[in-house]
Every structure is written in C-alpha cells, then in structure tokens.
Amino acid sequence: MLAVLGAAALVLVAGVSWASRAAADGTSLKPPQDVEVSIIDDDFTLKWNRSHESVGNVTFSADYITSEMNNWTKLPGCQHITGSECSFFLPKLNFYEEVEFRIRAEEENSTSSWYYIDSFIPFRKALLGPPEVRLEAEDTAIIVHLFRPGKKDDHSIWEMVGGSFRFTLDFWENSSHAQMEQKQIEIKHYTHKIYNLSSETTYCLKVKARLLWDRKVGVYSPVYCINTTVEHKLPPPENVKFAAQNQSYVLKWDYEDGNVTFRVQWLHAYSKLSPGDKADEWRQIINCENVRTTYCVLPQDAFQKKSYFFRVQASDGNNTSFWSEEKEVNIEMYSAMPPPVISLKSTSDSLRVFVKAPRNQLYPLLFEIIMWENTSSTERIIIAKKSDITIPDLQPLTLYCVKASVYLLEDKWNKSSAFSATVCEKTKPGPSPPVWAVTLGICTLLAVVVVVVFCVAKILLRCLNYVFFPALKPPCSIEYFSEQSLGNLLLSTSEEQTEKCFIIENTERVILVEEPEETEEDCKKYNSQTSQDSGNYSHGDESLESLEISEVLLQLKVLSPGRTSQELSGPGEIALGRGSQGPHRGYARVEEG
C-alpha cells in the first residue's frame, strides 16, 4: 500500500513539473480567435475573441509591420489589453501600403503563439463615416457647409481624395408630413445653398458622403434642423443668366425695383471643392460695381476657360439684399472652339486619319470626319469618339481628301468647331505581282524590243543601200525605157521575163511585121520589102555574133506611141520588138558607120 501511494505521489509531482514547464514554454495558453481589424475613417479597431482557457490575469498584446519596415513593432494602444478589443491610430502609417498585424495572449511569464492577420491596404479596407454638417439660415434659403469624414488634420486617410467626395442630402420641412415631403439632392461641393424655402420655417436634413472613384458609400449623419429668418425687406436679384456676345460676356438678371444699384462678384469653382467658409475668396468685378442696369459686360480676356460662380446683390442706400442664387458657369461652354488639325497616313487600301483636338478640353469630344475621292463629289461621313480613325476599303493609287470637325460630347451643350482645312493623300500601290509574272513580263518586253530593233535595222539598211549603192543605170546612148521595162527592174531575177529580140541587116530599109500574140514557144515571122537578102537573124538563145558591133552605132530614139512600123522610112532603120506583153513599142535607128 505504501508502495502504491509512493508511486502515485511521484506521478503527481511529475505532472506538476511538466505543467510548469509547459507554462514556461508558452504551450498552456491558446492565442485569441476570430481576430479582425475594422477601419472607419481614421479610427482603427482591433477585435478578437478570448479562448476558454484565457481567464484570470490573461492579457493581449499586438504588433504590426509594413512593407517599408524590417522588424515587427509594438502596436501603440494595444499592449497588455485585458478586454477583447483596442483602438489605435498610426500617425506615420502609409495608408496605400500593405500592413500586417499579429496578436497573442500573455499570462505572467507565459505567452501563447502568435495569431497572424492577413496583410491588407488600409485605404481599401476603410469605410466612410458620416460627414460633419454646419448650417446657416436666411429668409428663404439655407446654406449648408459640409466637411469630409475623418480627421481634419493633414494626416488623414481621406486627405488625398478630398476633391472626389460627393454628398447626398435629404431635407424636409419639420412637420407631421416630413417623411412624405422629403427631398433629395446631389451635391458636389462642400458649400451648398438651398433656395426657394419659406421664411420663419424649420427645416431638417441629413447627409451622407460617397467617394466618386472608389465606390465607397458612407452612412448618414445625424439629423440637423434650423429655422429660416424673417423675410428681408429688399429681395435679392433673380434669374441670373450668362451669355457671350461678340468679344465679351454678358451677365443678366431680373429685378422689379428700378431705384437700386447692383454689384457682381465671382469665385473659382474649384474653391468649393475644399471645405470651409469661402466668403473672403469672392472677388468684385471692376466694371460691375454700383451699376443701375440689370446686366453687366465682362471682358473675355478676364476669365480663362474654367468654371466660375457668379452672384448679384441689390442695394438701396444702406439696405442690401441677400446674394442672389449663385450661377455656375463653365467658360469653356461659351468660348469658340477652334477647328482641329488633321494629318493622314495611307496604305494601299486604307487611310489613317489623325485628328488633333483643341487643348484643355474638360469634356469628352466627338469627331466628325468627311472623306471623298478627289475626282468625285460623293462624300463619306464618319462619326467617332477617338481621334485616331482608320478608313478601310479604298482603292490603290487614288487621291482622297479629308476634313474634320469636333463636337463637345455634353448633353446640355450644343457646341462644335468649324471644319478643318482639307488635307489630301494618295493611297499606296497595290500588292506587287509574283516574281514569275515579273520575269515573264520582262522577257516578253525584251523579245518585242529585239523584233522591233531588227525590223527597224532592216528598213534602215535598205534605205542606206538605195542611197549609197543605187542600181546600175543604162548607157547614155539609151534614151528611153518604157514603163514596163522600169517595172521589170523591180522584179527579182526569177520573175523577170526575157524579151525575144532579133536584128536584120539591111542597107536600105527593114520593116518589122508584128505577129499576133502567141505563146512564148512560137517564133515570130519577119518579111522584107526587098527579097534580095533575108539577112541574118536570131531569136531565143541564138548568138548575135554575126553582127559586127564595131560597125553599128545604136541610138535609141523615142517615138510617139502612135507611130507605126510603116513610118520607119529612114535608111538603115530597124524595128525592135518589145514582145507580146508590152503596152507600146520601142524603135532604134541603125546607121552605118
């Protein structure tokens, strides 16, 4: 029995020793659960749930680290917290950089393991709180001064986006039908004036903020109420209008009483994008002070192409009215838009048009482009929202002309520029033919050139031969060749016909008797008036050797075509036959030497 008790005592002591070591090693405590960080405006809150073992003197501590830090740093305001949440603010924290948190439980000398929270960007996680509202009453109007949510110092999570806030304002008359007659308006400036109210009446309102670009929507502010004042004796001017005439701007308004004077002030519109009272920032227009007319002329060079607020006040001696309803005017709307400048870049089947719009345009633009072929009057109209437009489906090597104008893409404005100067550009050639087609065309052209050169050279050679190497002329004693003989000279040797001739010697007279036309194989018959000697003759291939050339001198004498063979009466005359194909005959006189 003692042995059993001793063993049990040893086990108990060992257990206590192990527990104390575990506590010393931090294994007896569990870290907090369901830890989260909430951010509303500039207020950071770290929340968690305690584990069941976390009782007694257990506290919690948190650290943080950013991408710009090398080591974990103790989170101020969240050290040794006995509860389940803590609030803190990090004045040097970059709200656009990732931050990571960790938290653990602590009890005397023991600690739990760390519970890590996923890193996040504070600006994206932050929620919008309600804006601050301050009211100011008039007889028939309420001036609402708004302030963005969060801290008002420079180091605020909303500091960089102060100009992106928009506000939704709900207001109503404080009566039994308040909820039914509730009105809602959208406000884009930090100062807004609600007009056309009743005097000596209580109005209530509430406002919530939203970020335009980040789609953050806040919660409504508490309800604020204010009473309007007693109606003022001198009413303010009404229906303030702005217009452009020639080289000046004109501000007009309506007023019933004609025995008062007016003054006009202006304010930059961007001034209202920041909170605060802007009474000291209004400026007096020099030519619009103490005027008795219900209009005022403003020189155009006094205002740039920006947005302004204008207001008018009436005065009657020492009495002055409240300011009129503030008129917001964008000078860009009333200034003339210069025509754009265009440039072109062409391809074989398209034309790329670059339109350079006027500078400092606060609103999106719409471009109207008119294109036509230079030889045609048919126009092609293109409407585009971008300044770089490609016009397809064009013909190559064609001259196209383009002009463009610019429209202001704003529903409430009807404003456009004049057309630009016309610019023309010729499209590029079409795609090049294949190599084989080019080669074939070149070879064909060379063949044609060779043939033409050969023909021209042949013709020139004939001309040179005719000029420098003429045909042989007959002897000077031959006075006449008939037309048929000249024609025979132009015939080739194979086509030339041989004329059958013969010579008859007679000391007195020989008369040639013509035979009827026969074939070339027939012989010609000859007769002589003196039958004493028939003489020697030859035809065909017979030799003329019997004729003594040295004893006879031939002279060709051209006779008239009408002369016959009977007329040859001179001594020693002979007749030479031309053959059956000659149109007329030739004669020769033979004189004895």
Side-chain angles (χ1 to χ4, degrees), residues 45-303:
T45 302
L46 184 64
K47 297 180 180 181
W48 62 89
N49 290 330
R50 303 168 64 102
S51 62
H52 296 291
E53 292 79 6
S54 300
V55 293
N57 297 326
V58 176
T59 59
F60 301 90
S61 296
D63 297 345
Y64 78 99
I65 190 172
T66 66
S67 58
E68 300 175 349
M69 299 167 57
N70 297 324
N71 301 314
W72 287 90
T73 304
K74 293 183 179 298
L75 187 62
C78 292
Q79 298 297 315
H80 310 295
I81 304 299
T82 58
S84 59
E85 67 176 50
C86 64
S87 298
F88 62 92
F89 180 74
L90 300 174
K92 296 182 179 180
L93 180 65
N94 187 343
F95 302 113
Y96 299 92
E97 294 290 335
E98 288 190 350
V99 61
E100 185 177 358
F101 295 90
R102 68 181 184 181
I103 186 173
R104 69 181 179 181
E106 302 171 342
E107 184 181 11
E108 295 181 358
N109 296 328
S110 63
T111 59
S112 69
S113 60
W114 290 103
Y115 183 99
Y116 291 87
I117 304 173
D118 294 336
S119 62
F120 60 89
I121 297 176
F123 179 81
R124 294 182 179 177
K125 192 177 183 63
L127 301 177
L128 281 174
E132 183 182 343
V133 182
R134 184 168 60 87
L135 302 178
E136 184 180 346
E138 293 183 357
D139 54 354
T140 59
I142 296 175
I143 302 174
V144 182
H145 300 278
L146 301 173
F147 300 88
R148 61 174 172 79
K151 295 182 179 297
K152 306 305 180 286
D153 55 12
D154 294 337
H155 191 72
S156 172
I157 197 170
W158 310 126
E159 176 189 1
M160 302 297 295
V161 293
S164 300
F165 277 106
R166 297 295 182 267
F167 302 94
T168 301
L169 187 148
D170 296 349
F171 75 98
W172 61 92
E173 183 180 344
N174 190 15
S175 63
S176 58
H177 304 287
Q179 297 300 325
M180 297 180 59
E181 299 179 357
Q182 182 173 328
K183 297 180 181 179
Q184 187 178 86
I185 57 177
E186 296 293 328
I187 302 174
K188 64 179 180 178
H189 299 112
Y190 283 93
T191 302
H192 183 77
K193 195 172 184 179
I194 304 175
Y195 296 95
N196 302 322
L197 301 179
S198 300
S199 59
E200 299 181 282
T201 305
T202 302
Y203 291 91
C204 298
L205 57 85
K206 60 181 180 180
V207 185
K208 67 178 179 180
R210 62 185 176 92
L211 273 176
L212 185 62
W213 308 117
D214 298 280
R215 298 181 180 179
K216 294 179 182 291
V217 180
V219 295
Y220 274 103
S221 67
V223 176
Y224 296 87
C225 297
I226 193 173
N227 293 327
T228 55
T229 62
V230 179
E231 186 175 358
H232 204 274
K233 294 182 179 180
L234 196 62
E238 298 178 346
N239 300 326
V240 180
K241 299 179 181 179
F242 190 90
Q245 292 182 0
N246 299 327
Q247 299 299 321
S248 301
Y249 299 126
V250 179
L251 191 70
K252 299 180 180 180
W253 57 88
D254 296 336
Y255 204 79
E256 296 179 356
D257 188 359
N259 295 323
V260 296
T261 59
F262 306 95
R263 63 171 181 163
V264 181
Q265 291 183 345
W266 63 271
L267 175 71
H268 282 291
Y270 64 78
S271 297
K272 288 193 173 186
L273 295 176
S274 59
D277 189 5
K278 307 299 178 183
D280 296 337
E281 296 184 15
W282 285 89
R283 297 289 180 265
Q284 179 68 43
I285 299 178
I286 299 176
N287 297 329
C288 299
E289 187 175 7
N290 297 326
V291 295
R292 293 189 175 275
T293 57
T294 56
Y295 67 89
C296 179
V297 179
L298 291 68
Q300 287 190 359
D301 54 2
F303 298 93

Side-chain angles (χ1 to χ4, degrees), residues 308-548:
Y308 299 88
F309 281 96
F310 294 91
R311 65 182 185 180
V312 185
Q313 186 182 53
S315 298
D316 182 10
N318 295 327
N319 296 326
T320 57
S321 69
F322 288 114
W323 288 100
S324 67
E325 181 177 350
E326 297 172 358
K327 178 68 174 179
E328 184 178 6
V329 177
N330 190 335
I331 300 298
E332 181 72 22
M333 175 180 175
Y334 298 92
S335 60
M337 292 181 62
V341 178
I342 61 175
S343 59
L344 306 177
K345 185 178 181 181
S346 64
T347 61
S348 60
D349 60 349
S350 65
L351 198 65
R352 192 173 181 182
V353 183
F354 301 92
V355 183
K356 186 177 181 182
R359 297 180 179 179
N360 300 327
Q361 294 296 330
L362 301 178
Y363 296 91
L365 300 175
L366 193 67
F367 302 95
E368 179 184 3
I369 299 172
I370 300 179
M371 186 204 69
W372 67 93
E373 190 176 339
N374 191 36
T375 58
S376 174
S377 60
T378 303
E379 294 182 344
R380 182 176 175 182
I381 302 177
I382 300 171
I383 305 298
K385 292 184 179 181
K386 57 182 182 178
S387 59
D388 184 358
I389 304 101
T390 299
I391 305 175
D393 303 329
L394 302 182
Q395 298 296 326
L397 294 176
T398 305
L399 186 63
Y400 292 94
C401 296
V402 177
K403 63 180 180 180
S405 64
V406 179
Y407 290 84
L408 205 58
L409 195 59
E410 182 68 20
D411 295 338
K412 61 182 179 180
W413 292 357
N414 184 16
K415 185 178 179 182
S416 63
S417 71
F419 276 98
S420 65
T422 301
V423 179
C424 298
E425 180 80 8
K426 192 174 185 181
T427 53
K428 299 291 189 297
S432 302
V435 178
W436 65 267
V438 176
T439 305
L440 181 61
I442 293 176
C443 294
T444 305
L445 181 60
L446 289 176
V448 172
V449 171
V450 170
V451 172
V452 172
V453 171
F454 177 78
C455 295
V456 172
K458 188 174 181 181
I459 294 174
L460 291 176
L461 184 59
R462 286 184 179 181
C463 293
L464 292 175
N465 288 336
Y466 178 80
V467 174
F468 295 101
F469 304 99
L472 296 176
K473 296 181 181 181
C476 59
S477 59
I478 299 177
E479 298 179 1
Y480 173 76
F481 276 105
S482 67
E483 193 173 278
Q484 182 64 27
S485 299
L486 294 176
N488 290 337
L489 294 176
L490 300 177
L491 297 176
S492 62
T493 305
S494 61
E495 297 177 354
E496 186 176 355
Q497 299 180 1
T498 303
E499 200 171 323
K500 300 179 180 181
C501 303
F502 50 85
I503 302 174
I504 301 177
E505 291 183 348
N506 192 353
T507 57
E508 294 180 356
R509 188 169 63 179
V510 177
I511 299 175
L512 173 65
V513 178
E514 262 187 320
E515 289 183 343
E517 294 182 357
E518 295 180 359
T519 62
E520 293 182 358
E521 290 78 11
D522 295 341
C523 298
K524 296 185 182 298
K525 300 179 181 180
Y526 298 89
N527 294 326
S528 174
Q529 293 181 1
T530 59
S531 58
Q532 297 177 359
D533 188 5
S534 60
N536 298 326
Y537 68 93
S538 64
H539 66 88
D541 297 330
E542 292 183 357
S543 175
L544 299 180
E545 295 179 358
S546 60
L547 181 61
E548 304 255 336

